[in-house]
Amino acid sequence: MIKILGKEEYLKYKALYKEMQQGMDAINYVIDCPWVFDNSRVSLEDVVLEVGCGGGGTGLYMARMRDHMIGVDEVEHPAFRETCKKYGISNVVFVNTNAKKMPFPEEYFDLAISVSALEHSSLEIANLAVKEVCRVLKKGKRFVATVAVSPDSPAYFKSESDIVYAFTEGTGMRLVDDTRTGWVWSDDEIRKRLWDLLSEYPSYQNWLPVGVIVEKR
């Protein structure tokens, strides 16, 4: 699945976001975090990996309903440990590591998630990170992520084909739903979704969140 997230997701998930916000100060994406959480479909016993966890908003919320979570990031954010301490979360481990080479055995995780992280790298680096996620995921398990698309930032993805390449080209992953629309930033529909979102949530800049769900073959 590759889904452009906009006003309809905001309206659908704002209740869940409000609930998450009350419990986790680190939540900073009104659409991305609830969308990832709602599409994860994991059980209490599952071991979950958050790639590019930053302050750990989505993962720390999810950890309250899972046995064990591991967050990885190249940069250690003080908010991650502070939030764990504040809310008494003890089943989350932070690992300071590069997502292209993680210190975990093959097929260790039942789910991987990522919130607006992979687009901050080049397509090639993002692709290598997804390959590594595939290595540590169990067969048939999901990687649920959001990425930003923008015409302004050279680091952000520009089109659906960029996302397809990063998540599926030689990664061992397949799209959960292979339906694609072939959108690019110049499409009127893309711009309309941005304006609709800005009217509802004005702190967004000139970029859109896109949800991606892939599965290990």
Side-chain angles (χ1 to χ4, degrees):
M1 173 188 290
I2 298 177
K3 180 174 176 53
I4 300 169
L5 308 178
K7 187 174 180 179
E8 63 270 31
E9 279 76 30
Y10 169 79
L11 295 173
K12 177 180 178 182
Y13 293 119
K14 66 179 181 179
L16 176 58
Y17 172 75
K18 190 173 183 180
E19 178 188 347
M20 295 169 76
Q21 191 179 43
Q22 288 172 353
M24 292 294 137
D25 298 336
I27 293 297
N28 59 353
Y29 295 111
V30 70
I31 292 173
D32 300 52
C33 295
W35 188 87
V36 168
F37 177 77
D38 199 41
N39 284 280
S40 293
R41 300 179 185 176
V42 288
S43 65
L44 177 65
E45 299 79 17
D46 288 342
V47 181
V48 181
L49 169 71
E50 182 170 15
V51 179
C53 62
T58 309
L60 293 178
Y61 179 82
M62 191 179 289
R64 296 187 297 176
M65 283 153 280
R66 304 290 175 264
D67 274 354
H68 187 52
M69 286 204 60
I70 296 176
V72 300
D73 205 300
E74 283 189 295
V75 179
E76 185 168 355
H77 296 263
F80 190 97
R81 298 188 190 281
E82 290 168 5
T83 304
C84 285
K85 183 177 180 180
K86 180 177 180 179
Y87 294 103
I89 300 170
S90 59
N91 61 334
V92 178
V93 175
F94 174 81
V95 178
N96 188 196
T97 189
N98 191 308
K100 294 183 295 181
K101 189 173 178 59
M102 295 184 281
F104 310 119
E106 294 183 7
E107 300 194 350
Y108 183 72
F109 293 96
D110 300 284
L111 170 75
I113 64 172
S114 183
V115 175
S116 191
L118 291 176
E119 73 274 10
H120 298 293
S121 304
S122 68
L123 284 176
E124 290 72 24
I125 291 175
N127 179 256
L128 290 173
V130 176
K131 286 181 182 178
E132 181 68 351
V133 170
C134 182
R135 182 186 70 81
V136 300
L137 261 186
K138 294 176 182 176
K139 187 174 181 180
K141 298 300 184 178
R142 287 182 164 193
F143 182 22
V144 182
T146 61
V147 295
V149 293
S150 171
D152 298 328
S153 171
Y156 282 15
F157 298 158
K158 299 291 189 296
S159 65
E160 191 176 48
S161 61
D162 282 353
I163 297 172
V164 171
Y165 171 81
F167 280 83
T168 67
E169 183 65 32
T171 62
M173 298 284 204
R174 67 171 187 86
L175 290 170
V176 168
D177 178 352
D178 199 33
T179 302
R180 284 175 256 162
T181 59
W183 54 263
V184 292
W185 257 102
S186 59
D187 291 347
D188 288 340
E189 178 63 21
I190 302 300
R191 291 198 298 271
K192 181 179 183 301
R193 283 175 179 266
L194 176 63
W195 312 142
D196 284 348
L197 186 58
L198 285 170
S199 68
E200 196 67 46
Y201 196 70
S203 67
Y204 269 84
Q205 302 302 313
N206 195 23
W207 59 274
L208 275 175
V210 176
V212 187
I213 303 176
V214 288
E215 182 179 274
K216 183 170 181 175
R217 295 178 183 277

